[in-house]
Amino acid sequence: MIEKVRCLIIGSGPAGYTAAIYASRANLSPVLYEGMQPGGQLTTTTEVENFPGYPEGTTGTELMEDMRKQAERFGADIRFGTATATDLSSAPYKVTIDGEKVIEADTIIISTGATAKYLGLPDEQKYAGSGVSACATCDGFFYRKLKVAVVGGGDTACEEAIYLAGLASKVFLIVRKNALRASKIMQERVLNNPKIEVLFEHETLGLTGEGVVQGANLIKRKGQTDEEQVHIEIDGFFLAIGHKPNSDIFKPWIETDEVGYIKTIAGTPRTNVSGVFASGDVADPHYRQAITAAGSGCQAAIEAERYLSEKGL
Ligand code: NDP
């Protein structure tokens, strides 16, 4: 069964819903598939205090619910389902939903987001939203004058450690190797920051605490003769070990960088396939904020509208 749509939006984070608001107000009759995690990454955070328009803050879930309702008010057709395969070899483009239904779309807005990597410890689930976070910019504010740990040794980890050092009383940076992978300048900033203590050659075994994170059990120089168990007292545990952009099903057609972020023409959401646009974290290795994702969703919808009118579709 093939269904024909003018504008297909894949993904339901701030980018996808904003694209749906703009596309529906432009009479593109957009169909949006929510994907496996309706509302996207924001639904895994607690409070959101940095999205403009909410002077008292809101929650990630409420923000996404509001965006969805706003898109529906203008007629966006929001559906439960996940894109599982694509054929973007020629227009109209084909997208398979849940391995069954095929949508034929004149334009596609890819807003499938990225997934933060976790260590895979059961405690990360246990304390999700209660001290475990993968976004310092989102959640750092809640740890003012408290102690936190950041895991990772790349640029993101260093950036997050520095950001958190501006808020928290103490930041441990847990690095599995004996060196940081980050750029020299970031390394220097971290090593010269009196609030940051770098724990080289440490790995996390688990987290402790009654209902909320109160500490972490680490192992130093695992497998060596001088292996040692270490306990640190912390209130927050931040993962910064990388993100995986959700771009796999587009890769046969759409250019990505070596990590998998979709390449767009600078300053636009245009991909290498005309009529296919990318917005939000799937195309953004740098900012990864709800507001920047929303902005690029708007750009994608405007581009989709222009593309359709140029083609007379
Ligand atoms: P990276 O892949 O560069 O670094 C990931 C870090 O996490 C590494 O130190 C890695 O350790 C560590 N890590 C991975 N898995 C585990 C694990 N299971 N346990 C413990 N540690 C682990 O990712 P980033 O997100 O930091 O950066 C991604 C890209 O974005 C990079 O190219 C980076 O330069 C860029 N970036 C640039 C910024 C800037 O210029 N301002 C800011 C942020 C990112 P190991 O070193 O041992 O492999």
Side-chain angles (χ1 to χ4, degrees):
M1 182 185 49
I2 293 182
E3 183 186 350
K4 184 94 182 41
V5 305
R6 292 177 79 205
C7 177
L8 176 67
I9 302 170
I10 309 173
S12 58
Y17 283 149
T18 305
I21 293 167
Y22 274 77
S24 48
R25 292 188 80 247
N27 274 341
L28 306 190
S29 312
V31 170
L32 180 151
Y33 277 93
E34 290 181 310
M36 274 183 287
Q37 190 179 31
Q41 289 181 81
L42 267 191
T43 57
T44 65
T45 66
T46 47
E47 279 180 68
V48 177
E49 293 184 327
N50 54 7
F51 199 91
Y54 292 84
E56 305 304 324
T58 180
T59 66
T61 312
E62 269 171 19
L63 179 60
M64 298 323 300
E65 186 68 9
D66 283 351
M67 285 194 195
R68 189 176 58 77
K69 283 190 203 146
Q70 197 172 348
E72 280 176 333
R73 182 154 84 87
F74 298 111
D77 182 351
I78 296 177
R79 302 177 183 174
F80 192 71
T82 301
T84 49
T86 62
D87 177 356
L88 310 182
S89 55
S90 61
Y93 306 114
K94 292 181 188 59
V95 176
T96 307
I97 306 296
D98 295 330
E100 292 172 354
K101 186 184 168 80
V102 176
I103 302 275
E104 238 179 43
D106 293 324
T107 59
I108 297 178
I109 297 175
I110 303 170
S111 320
T112 44
T115 308
K117 290 186 196 161
Y118 284 78
L119 296 170
L121 301 171
D123 285 342
E124 290 170 321
Q125 304 254 334
K126 183 176 165 188
Y127 296 103
S130 306
V132 172
S133 167
C135 179
T137 325
C138 317
D139 298 326
F141 191 65
F142 305 114
Y143 297 91
R144 271 166 300 163
K145 299 191 167 64
L146 299 177
K147 291 182 184 171
V148 298
V150 177
V151 186
D155 279 317
T156 302
C158 289
E159 208 169 66
E160 304 226 331
I162 293 162
Y163 178 78
L164 289 166
L167 298 163
S169 62
K170 164 107 192 170
V171 179
F172 295 99
L173 185 59
I174 304 169
V175 182
R176 65 179 172 185
K177 288 194 183 134
N178 64 359
L180 293 167
R181 175 200 287 256
S183 54
K184 262 273 161 302
I185 184 156
M186 295 301 279
Q187 293 193 27
E188 278 166 18
R189 282 189 201 154
V190 160
L191 297 169
N192 291 328
N193 190 313
K195 278 201 191 164
I196 303 175
E197 181 178 342
V198 185
L199 302 175
F200 286 111
E201 296 184 272
H202 282 66
E203 286 173 48
T204 312
L205 295 175
L207 302 170
T208 59
E210 289 293 319
V212 294
V213 170
Q214 292 170 310
N217 291 325
L218 312 178
I219 187 155
K220 184 180 178 186
R221 289 177 59 75
K222 189 178 172 191
Q224 307 296 313
T225 47
D226 56 351
E227 174 183 299
E228 195 187 325
Q229 298 234 6
V230 177
H231 179 78
I232 53 171
E233 283 183 9
I234 49 167
D235 306 286
F237 183 77
F238 288 83
L239 283 310
I241 60 172
H243 282 78
K244 186 184 181 311
N246 302 319
S247 62
D248 287 354
I249 58 165
F250 308 104
K251 277 184 184 163
W253 327 99
I254 301 281
E255 281 175 21
T256 66
D257 69 10
E258 62 283 0
V259 181
Y261 287 100
I262 292 178
K263 286 189 185 171
T264 51
I265 296 167
T268 79
R270 285 180 227 144
T271 69
N272 60 303
V273 176
S274 82
V276 178
F277 306 97
S279 62
D281 285 13
V282 73
D284 175 10
H286 300 296
Y287 304 110
R288 298 195 290 247
Q289 300 300 301
I291 186 68
T292 50
S296 70
C298 155
Q299 290 177 313
I302 290 173
E303 290 279 349
E305 195 278 324
R306 287 183 186 159
Y307 173 88
L308 288 170
S309 77
E310 272 166 25
K311 297 268 174 197
L313 293 165

